[in-house]
Amino acid sequence: MTKSALVESLANRTLDNDEKRTEDEVSEEELDENELEGYVTTDQRIHPEIVEAIHSADRSTRLEATIKIRRLLECQRWEPHEVVQPVIDSGLLPEIVKMLSLDDLDFLWESTCIVVNITAGSTKQIFTVVETGVVPKLVTLFPISPDNVRVNILITVGNLLGDSKQLRFVTIRDGGFKLALDVLRDPGDHSEKCVESAAWAVGSATTLQYDRFPDAELAAQTITVLTTFIRQNDDGISESLTEAVIALQQLSHQCDVTAAILKGGITRQIVQLCTAKDTRLREHVLRLIIHMSRGGDDSVQEMMDANCLEVLDSCIAEYSLSRRTAYSAVAELARGPSSLVRALAESPLLSRILHILSQSEENLALKREAANVPLNMTRTATSQIELLDPMIKAGYLEAVSQGLLSDESCMVAIQLEMMEQILGAKWDGRQRALERFKALDGPRRLRDVMMRRSPRKTEAVKVARKILEAHFPEYSKWPRV
């Protein structure tokens, strides 16, 4: 969930609350935007009457003015930074921060809403409110505040963690990140909205926009908390589970999370999420599978035991938006031990991928990714020749022969490498493979590649000629003119 999405959904996340509200808030959704425009003067300051009212000694006058500021900041008509700046320039931040107190819950609610929306502004604007010491104050208030206020505090923390490297450092230093992590440690002590917001906040701190996670020890603690949280939420796909999985995947770019996944016993759960209906979740899970595929034989075996190939086959068949990432995951698995490559060679998944490669109308970017599957399998099979027969039976040669017709030099290069390796291997089925390839008109297509004279295809010409001279010499001669 992006920062803007959180701000946009703030009313839904909090106004549905059962907390007591003032009469001024009842007709809030019907507020005329023209009235909001009147809250800001032509020189981009909050109207003096509102500023004066916020400093009033009369509670109802102060509350009404505070509500107006909150409504202005929540209005979707303007970008957040456009309405945040008048609030800052009018000198209202110190007064807003003073309202962060349990002395009056109405003011506490309104002020946390205002802070949430200010932290959706620009980095410079956010620093202005952070410099007031707002983070330590929110951390102190969190355990003794009503649930709707807790949600606002966690959204604020997430906005800060996800804005910039500098703000992330300050928020971690001041206890904001630990606050969110502690909610995930003991989710039973908090509401569903609170847990969801905490998971999102933790994920915000692990985004790839910034440098590595600043504290290796804290990163290790986070990985442990996330894997435990995921294991405890295996009865369905909630928003908090989605955010936790995404955070774990984002950490995998700078930390090895495979050992924690194996220790936490969540491999099967991760694999099954490859077919989640949520595209965002599915994409991150597939990237996590790629990471785990590089984690050694134990990790690969656990994924195999969790029916990873069958699940990936279903993902490719059902979700077109995730096919490219799914192909990448299968290609990474194809680098694995011979037992996995054999299972892949004998699975319907390989037949599906080879069929895709033989389709001329298939998207080129998808075909490039899919082609890495048989290519990586070939590299493994040349040293494990018993794998070659099941690959041939799956339609390997048909796909290669068809791929040689491609106008894309990268696709042709992949087919040539596969043919060179598979025909160069010493195995009992090589003669059958040669005959089959010849029946598919492969040698003639190789000769066509050899005759394609262009700077981009010089290497392809050399490889095609090398294969022909070694296995089909009658096709290796240049035609007479």
Side-chain angles (χ1 to χ4, degrees):
M1 187 178 295
T2 64
K3 184 195 305 181
S4 59
L6 278 165
V7 176
E8 184 176 8
S9 65
L10 180 60
N12 293 332
R13 293 167 65 96
T14 53
L15 294 182
D16 290 342
N17 230 284
D18 291 332
E19 296 291 333
K20 183 179 178 182
R21 307 308 305 256
T22 66
E23 291 182 3
D24 296 290
E25 298 170 85
V26 175
S27 59
E28 177 175 342
E29 295 179 2
E30 302 173 3
L31 189 67
D32 190 343
E33 289 183 354
N34 290 328
E35 181 182 339
L36 290 176
E37 286 186 347
Y39 294 172
V40 181
T41 62
T42 55
D43 61 347
Q44 297 303 297
R45 297 289 192 277
I46 299 300
H47 197 283
E49 289 184 3
I50 299 177
V51 175
E52 183 180 347
I54 281 185
H55 291 87
S56 171
D58 180 72
R59 179 187 181 278
S60 61
T61 301
R62 289 177 62 223
L63 183 58
E64 182 180 353
T66 305
I67 291 170
K68 287 180 178 179
I69 296 299
R70 191 251 302 163
R71 287 172 172 172
L72 175 66
L73 291 171
E74 287 181 353
C75 181
Q76 299 299 305
R77 183 169 178 175
W78 301 283
E79 291 296 319
H81 69 273
E82 294 177 321
V83 286
V84 167
Q85 197 59 45
V87 174
I88 294 173
D89 292 342
S90 300
L92 294 180
L93 282 186
E95 197 64 30
I96 297 299
V97 173
K98 286 181 184 177
M99 297 177 187
L100 296 172
S101 166
L102 289 175
D103 294 342
D104 192 316
L105 294 183
D106 286 332
F107 280 107
L108 177 61
W109 160 257
E110 296 296 341
S111 59
T112 55
C113 286
I114 290 171
V115 170
V116 164
N117 284 280
I118 290 174
T119 57
S122 69
T123 300
K124 183 178 179 180
Q125 290 170 338
I126 299 172
F127 262 113
T128 304
V129 71
V130 168
E131 288 169 352
T132 66
V134 72
V135 177
K137 195 164 189 177
L138 291 175
V139 170
T140 301
L141 279 170
F142 182 83
I144 52 178
S145 294
D147 186 70
N148 59 350
V149 172
R150 291 186 182 189
V151 171
N152 280 353
I153 291 173
L154 288 166
I155 295 173
T156 298
V157 167
N159 284 347
L160 296 172
L161 290 168
D163 183 86
S164 64
K165 177 184 175 182
Q166 294 81 3
L167 280 168
R168 182 178 65 178
F169 173 80
V170 171
T171 307
I172 291 174
R173 182 199 66 193
D174 291 348
F177 182 79
K178 183 179 182 300
L179 176 68
L181 202 61
D182 285 345
V183 172
L184 297 187
R185 276 196 179 96
D186 298 299
D189 295 341
H190 305 276
S191 71
E192 182 179 343
K193 287 182 179 180
C194 210
V195 174
E196 175 189 326
S197 300
W200 172 78
V202 170
S204 295
T206 63
T207 56
L208 298 178
Q209 294 172 263
Y210 316 117
D211 295 342
R212 293 176 62 85
F213 201 74
D215 187 325
E217 183 178 346
L218 185 58
Q221 293 176 18
T222 303
I223 291 169
T224 300
V225 171
L226 289 172
T227 52
T228 301
F229 180 82
I230 291 168
R231 186 182 67 245
Q232 294 170 343
N233 288 267
D234 61 351
D235 55 349
I237 302 177
S238 62
E239 188 64 32
S240 56
L241 175 65
T242 297
E243 297 297 342
V245 171
I246 290 173
L248 185 63
Q249 186 276 320
Q250 289 172 164
L251 276 172
S252 74
H253 287 270
Q254 48 191 292
C255 309
D256 181 10
V257 304
T258 302
I261 289 174
L262 298 182
K263 184 178 179 181
I266 61 172
T267 302
R268 182 174 295 276
Q269 192 177 352
I270 294 294
V271 168
Q272 295 303 315
L273 289 173
C274 288
T275 54
K277 292 182 179 180
D278 184 331
T279 302
R280 178 167 162 263
L281 171 60
R282 198 169 58 243
E283 282 290 307
H284 281 278
V285 170
L286 288 168
R287 292 174 195 150
L288 198 52
I289 293 294
I290 293 172
H291 173 81
M292 294 173 65
S293 300
R294 300 166 182 162
D297 291 355
D298 289 344
S299 176
V300 170
Q301 187 57 55
E302 279 216 11
M303 287 194 288
M304 290 292 293
D305 293 343
N307 301 318
C308 187
L309 296 180
E310 291 85 346
V311 174
L312 287 170
D313 190 20
S314 297
C315 177
I316 291 170
E318 296 176 26
Y319 299 107
S320 59
L321 292 176
S322 294
R323 281 177 188 160
R324 187 171 182 178
T325 315
Y327 291 147
S328 297
V330 180
E332 200 61 44
L333 286 168
R335 300 176 186 270
S338 58
S339 58
L340 185 146
V341 177
R342 173 175 285 280
L344 178 55
E346 296 174 348
S347 74
L349 176 55
L350 180 60
S351 298
R352 182 189 300 280
I353 290 173
L354 293 176
H355 176 72
I356 288 166
L357 292 177
S358 66
Q359 302 301 304
S360 58
E361 69 276 6
E362 189 69 33
N363 179 280
L364 178 61
L366 289 177
K367 289 179 73 171
R368 285 176 179 172
E369 212 64 61
N372 286 322
V373 175
L375 177 60
N376 289 344
M377 292 178 70
T378 303
R379 291 167 176 169
T380 301
T382 50
S383 60
Q384 305 283 337
I385 57 175
E386 70 275 6
L387 300 174
L388 292 173
D389 275 326
M391 291 170 61
I392 298 297
K393 290 178 183 177
Y396 184 94
L397 293 175
E398 286 80 356
V400 171
S401 180
Q402 185 65 32
L404 292 172
L405 297 174
S406 175
D407 292 328
E408 296 293 327
S409 56
C410 63
M411 291 299 297
V412 172
I414 290 174
Q415 314 309 316
L416 290 172
E417 181 181 342
M418 290 193 291
M419 276 314 298
E420 186 176 24
Q421 292 198 39
I422 202 167
L423 295 180
K426 295 181 179 180
W427 56 299
D428 294 340
R430 183 171 66 172
Q431 187 57 41
R432 292 193 304 274
L434 288 169
E435 293 170 0
R436 178 60 182 157
F437 188 65
K438 193 170 184 177
L440 292 167
D441 206 20
R444 185 186 63 79
R445 294 174 182 180
L446 277 172
R447 185 174 63 183
D448 290 344
V449 173
M450 183 183 71
M451 294 174 63
R452 297 176 189 174
R453 291 179 176 271
S454 77
R456 294 178 59 194
K457 298 174 180 175
T458 302
E459 186 61 31
V461 169
K462 292 179 181 178
V463 176
R465 185 168 188 174
K466 180 181 176 181
I467 296 172
L468 289 172
E469 288 177 343
H471 304 290
F472 308 99
E474 66 274 25
Y475 288 88
S476 65
K477 307 298 181 184
W478 290 91
R480 293 182 180 180
V481 179

